[in-house]
Amino acid sequence: CTPTNTIVISPCPEKFDFITGPGTSSIMDPEKKGADLHDDARHAGIYDHGHSHLEGKNGWRKDWVPGSKRFEADLPGTSDQSAKWWYSAFHNTTAIVGAGVLGLPFAMKYLLWPGGVVIMILSWITSLYTLWQLCAMHELDGHRFCRYHELGQYVFGPKLGLAIILPPQLIVMIGLGVVYCITGGDSMHRIYQLYPPSSGASIGISLWIVFFGIMQIIISMLKNFNSLRGISLAAAIMSLGYSTIAFGITVKNGKQPGAVYNNDGANSTADKILSGFNALGIIAFAYGGHNVILEIQATMPSPPKTLKPYMNGVYIAYAVVSWCYFTVAFTGYWAYGFGVQDNILFSLENPRGVISLASAMVLVHVLGSYQVYTVPVYDMIEHSFLKRGYKFTFFTRFLYRTTYVCFTTFIACTLPFFGDILGFIGALAMGPATFWLPPLMFLILKRPSITNIHCLPSCFCVLYGVVVMVLGAIGGLRGIINRASSYEFYQ
């Protein structure tokens, strides 16, 4: 018996398709129970390596049939599953440490010392815990969930899962593409400002963003995740480099005259509160790696189980994260107080050569980070066409990837508001994807009792993530509106 009306989920070894639609009722009758239901499951070919998903008080919750592997070799996300465990160290460092670290001192100035320190530490602990939960759900009952939205479909159902997971995931990946275009353009523009030409010619930020987009078009021709490992490794090293430079110069220059640690410079009480909301989003933005965690984990061979070796790489990445984030955030705010800019490198003046080097490192890092978040987008695009029988050639791949890069570059040129974009995207998309969706799915799948060690922490993460999402999005959107009202576009 072959099920009808199936939704094909992006393939991976041991991947499965959801049964949905009217055809399901002819195969699995929700009213049947016990042995009759098991017989129907066997007749439909629904197996879970010996464990059927016949659970819940209504009998069955989700029904899977073996999925086709015919697309694996052609998809950017799963065409190469030979990654070593240490690949996850630099892939995750590149994914997590990005443009967000440069905005952390700016977030601190609105949260002040007590609030800033607490939120920074709490976000670090919470994000590492939810990342572990996400990785622990990558392999369940012999199945691999190689994409975030596939896990969401397994937990919430084929349609609801996509509706819940895909919007924030796409907002993060596309939004980060935009932010990294802005950051790359800013970095080149900063070097240009430090060493202006003798002719006095001026090149605005928009043209530098376009230059960055051209670089990305070239790099986008690499086929899959593992082909990016050299660029990703360089990007991870650069993140450590420019964070250390920013920390070192800040400490060397010391506390600046007039640095104050309050937000009295804000226009009103409402301005203080909404800026604080935006700061929550900026910090959430700094922990956006969860959106591609399963996609990176899928590049490792299985069996054996990937959780332990993958997490070894994650712990290395988080050690780098703690160094980069805490040193830059705390010393940047200490040195400049309320006067710190939304990009800490823009607050630094001397020595010019070292600051230029840091800006160049930022450029190399975001070149790699852009691709880490863009490959899953390419994977979704190619899978949607492969299901319809269309196979990509080099020309068609070049065409759609160039179009995508041009789209993100155009948005970056239109809205180059670094700090406010960080807050809005961080809250709206990374709040769910990083902080409350992983523990919510973990609670649904594992169903821990109230006395279980994971129950209360998971509930806390859900609550924390929802608060960050709502308040941060309000603050970030308000900041974008304020900046846009006085900004001269396409400079």
Side-chain angles (χ1 to χ4, degrees), residues 31 60 111 125 131 143 152 181 219 236 268 325 344 390 440 482:
E31 298 299 320
W60 59 279
L111 295 172
I125 296 172
L131 190 151
H143 310 334
C181 284
I219 301 174
S268 64
Y325 283 18
I344 183 61
Y390 185 88
L440 180 61
N482 283 353

Side-chain angles (χ1 to χ4, degrees), residues 23-136:
T24 305
S25 60
S26 64
I27 302 168
M28 296 288 291
D29 184 355
E31 298 299 320
K32 291 186 178 182
K33 298 180 180 180
D36 291 339
L37 187 56
H38 281 275
D39 289 340
D40 279 355
R42 293 189 187 95
H43 180 61
I46 299 171
Y47 292 105
D48 180 11
H49 293 261
H51 304 284
S52 59
H53 290 290
L54 308 174
E55 58 185 26
K57 63 183 180 181
N58 292 323
W60 59 279
R61 193 168 62 111
K62 295 175 178 64
D63 307 312
W64 296 79
V65 295
S68 170
K69 297 183 180 181
R70 65 185 183 277
F71 302 138
E72 274 182 18
D74 299 307
L75 287 171
T78 53
S79 59
D80 185 353
Q81 294 182 310
S82 60
K84 309 299 183 184
W85 72 265
W86 58 84
Y87 289 13
S88 70
F90 52 77
H91 278 321
N92 280 285
T93 301
T94 301
I96 299 170
V97 183
V101 66
L102 303 174
L104 290 176
F106 182 74
M108 287 284 297
K109 82 176 189 178
Y110 290 113
L111 295 172
L112 308 181
W113 277 118
V117 171
V118 169
I119 296 299
M120 284 286 297
I121 295 175
L122 189 60
S123 296
W124 188 91
I125 296 172
T126 303
S127 66
L128 179 57
Y129 177 64
T130 59
L131 190 151
W132 172 84
Q133 290 181 313
L134 204 56
C135 294

